[in-house]
Amino acid sequence: MKKEDILAIQQLLAAPKKIAIIPHRSPDGDAMGSTLALYHFLLKLNHQPTVISPNEFPNFLAWLPSSETVLIYENDRANCTKVLQETEIVFTLDFNALHRTGEMEHVLNKLTVPMIMIDHHQKPDTFATYTYSDTIYGSTGEMIYNFISFLDKKELIDKNIATCLYTGIVTDSGSFRFPSTTSTTHRIVADLIDIGIENSEIHNLLFDNNSYNRLQLLGRALQNMKVFSEYKTSYITLSQKELDEFHYEKGDTEGIVNYGLTIKGIHLAAIFIEHRDENIIKISFRSQGSFDVNQFAREHFNGGGHINAAGGKSYLSMKETIHKFEKIISKITI
Ligand code: 5GP
Ligand code: MN
């Protein structure tokens, strides 16, 4: 982060302020972990922070400290709009373009207060007054840890802040197995463990909370998997009908895409999930090695993300979407 930006932000934070902290729509562990970590940090600096999520966060994150204070824009537009209009600083975390907040974008676009973006996705937009964006980091959680260090306030990191940061780091790094995991990641986590987080317990809370329905849905997803060895590609589909059959709840499809990559020789994995209420097919891409799914998602499926993990959407039917995908992969080198 630029020195002059740090100084400017230190000045902004010198007196207590009303501060909104925004994750992306359909927030994941890193989005919720980093926003709530910043929330607890700003509280300790005597500010009045509020986390406003564009829509509901998944149940497997509901144990995060102070998650009960999070406002949900799409459930309470009037109140959230009022809070945003009264806010004096806006932090946007874990996303690179305002459209990633869905409908909330229109309210955010009209605000004139300073905005601070902290994010690790490629090609950040220029909406923020101060931008701390670096794709070298595997999670926004690591960057919030750095941000607190830049402000010279590391001693304020307590168990709550550390727990939220660890959640962001462990979820976005695939439990420290993705290539974005560095020695710095482990050094930060070592620090968080020294502060007193219960890392094993957090891991349990995040990952050992399957419902029977979720496992059945996973079973169906794996049975639906198609493998194209010649294109080093596999993909999974889940229709709305199948989601309904297994009483889908938010978060149930989290991580399923990764199974495709565990097949020997597969370098590109995708999952296509039908969302009938929004009339879209939501897509996740994962890759191994140099195949850039951020570029792929941007070019073909209205999305983006990182080199090895990205997402997007299709406005075509499932059948047409799959046809389009198969046609593209048959023409490129993966
Ligand atoms: P996931 O597949 O887990 O939803 O997302 C993987 C990565 O891609 C995440 O970092 C996420 O923020 C990003 N991503 C997911 N969907 C979209 C999208 O529609 N647009 C953009 N720009 N990024 C996305
Ligand atoms: Mn992230």
Side-chain angles (χ1 to χ4, degrees):
M1 198 171 191
K2 280 186 280 178
K3 214 170 187 135
E4 65 257 37
D5 286 1
I6 297 168
L7 287 172
I9 292 169
Q10 270 170 334
Q11 293 219 315
L12 271 181
L13 296 177
K17 292 219 164 54
K18 291 183 180 149
I19 302 177
I21 311 169
I22 320 288
H24 55 77
R25 196 171 187 278
S26 300
D28 54 10
D30 189 32
M32 291 310 295
S34 52
T35 50
L36 282 168
L38 185 62
Y39 167 87
H40 286 283
F41 173 69
L42 292 173
L43 266 187
K44 286 190 113 172
L45 291 181
N46 294 320
H47 295 290
Q48 291 179 54
T50 313
V51 176
I52 309 180
S53 176
N55 64 345
E56 298 267 16
F57 54 87
N59 239 339
F60 76 94
L61 297 170
W63 60 271
L64 279 169
S66 296
S67 70
E68 72 285 353
T69 68
V70 174
L71 301 182
I72 310 290
Y73 177 81
E74 288 173 28
N75 290 356
D76 193 2
R77 291 177 177 80
N79 183 41
C80 289
T81 302
K82 188 165 169 279
V83 173
L84 284 170
Q85 284 167 349
E86 287 172 359
T87 202
E88 294 162 276
I89 304 172
V90 175
F91 279 89
T92 64
L93 304 192
D94 201 36
F95 63 95
N96 55 0
L98 282 183
H99 67 80
R100 300 269 349 263
T101 61
E103 284 176 32
M104 213 170 138
E105 175 184 9
H106 306 299
V107 186
L108 292 172
N109 260 330
K110 287 200 193 108
L111 301 180
T112 53
V113 296
M115 286 204 183
I116 302 166
M117 181 209 287
I118 302 179
D119 179 52
H120 65 134
H121 292 87
Q122 313 232 332
K123 300 188 179 163
D125 272 3
T126 52
F127 65 85
T129 322
Y130 306 104
T131 300
Y132 174 34
S133 166
D134 197 337
T135 59
I136 200 149
Y137 294 104
S139 63
T140 302
E142 286 171 71
M143 299 177 74
I144 297 293
Y145 177 93
N146 290 343
F147 178 69
I148 293 174
S149 311
F150 296 153
L151 296 179
D152 218 6
K153 299 282 183 200
K154 240 169 80 174
E155 75 281 1
L156 290 187
I157 301 181
D158 59 12
K159 193 172 168 187
N160 278 341
I161 298 173
T163 296
C164 295
L165 291 178
Y166 183 78
T167 297
I169 296 169
V170 77
T171 53
D172 254 25
S173 66
S175 304
F176 310 111
R177 75 186 189 278
F178 296 154
S180 55
T181 307
T182 61
S183 57
T184 308
T185 315
H186 284 286
R187 272 188 208 104
I188 291 174
V189 166
D191 234 13
L192 301 181
I193 291 175
D194 285 344
I195 287 162
I197 60 159
E198 285 153 55
N199 50 311
S200 178
E201 168 69 6
I202 296 172
H203 207 275
N204 286 345
L205 287 166
L206 288 168
F207 301 112
D208 298 342
N209 58 3
N210 276 321
S211 64
Y212 178 69
N213 278 324
R214 193 210 171 231
L215 285 185
Q216 294 286 302
L217 179 67
L218 170 63
R220 176 65 58 85
L222 296 179
Q223 291 203 318
N224 287 350
M225 187 188 287
K226 298 263 185 304
V227 177
F228 294 91
S229 307
E230 67 274 37
Y231 307 133
K232 301 184 182 134
T233 297
S234 74
Y235 72 81
I236 289 171
T237 57
L238 281 172
S239 66
Q240 181 74 56
K241 198 161 161 264
E242 288 171 311
L243 298 180
D244 294 344
E245 188 182 334
F246 298 107
H247 307 284
Y248 166 80
E249 282 181 36
K250 222 177 171 63
D252 280 355
T253 54
E254 199 76 35
I256 295 182
V257 62
N258 295 310
Y259 284 93
L261 270 192
T262 66
I263 299 177
K264 201 169 174 196
I266 295 300
H267 288 195
L268 169 65
I271 187 166
F272 299 86
I273 302 172
E274 186 181 12
H275 287 243
R276 197 189 290 130
D277 54 342
E278 296 178 61
N279 234 333
I280 58 166
I281 308 289
K282 177 82 184 85
I283 315 167
S284 291
F285 298 106
R286 299 290 184 269
S287 67
Q288 216 161 62
S290 58
F291 185 72
D292 183 349
V293 284
N294 165 54
Q295 182 62 30
F296 183 81
R298 272 172 196 274
E299 207 170 310
H300 303 291
F301 291 101
N302 312 294
H306 315 275
I307 291 175
N308 295 122
K313 45 196 164 306
S314 161
Y315 302 99
L316 304 169
S317 69
M318 180 69 91
K319 203 170 154 197
E320 290 164 330
T321 304
I322 293 300
H323 183 72
K324 175 178 167 180
F325 178 70
E326 288 186 356
K327 206 164 146 191
I328 298 167
I329 59 161
S330 71
K331 287 188 180 150
I332 60 176
T333 309
I334 293 166

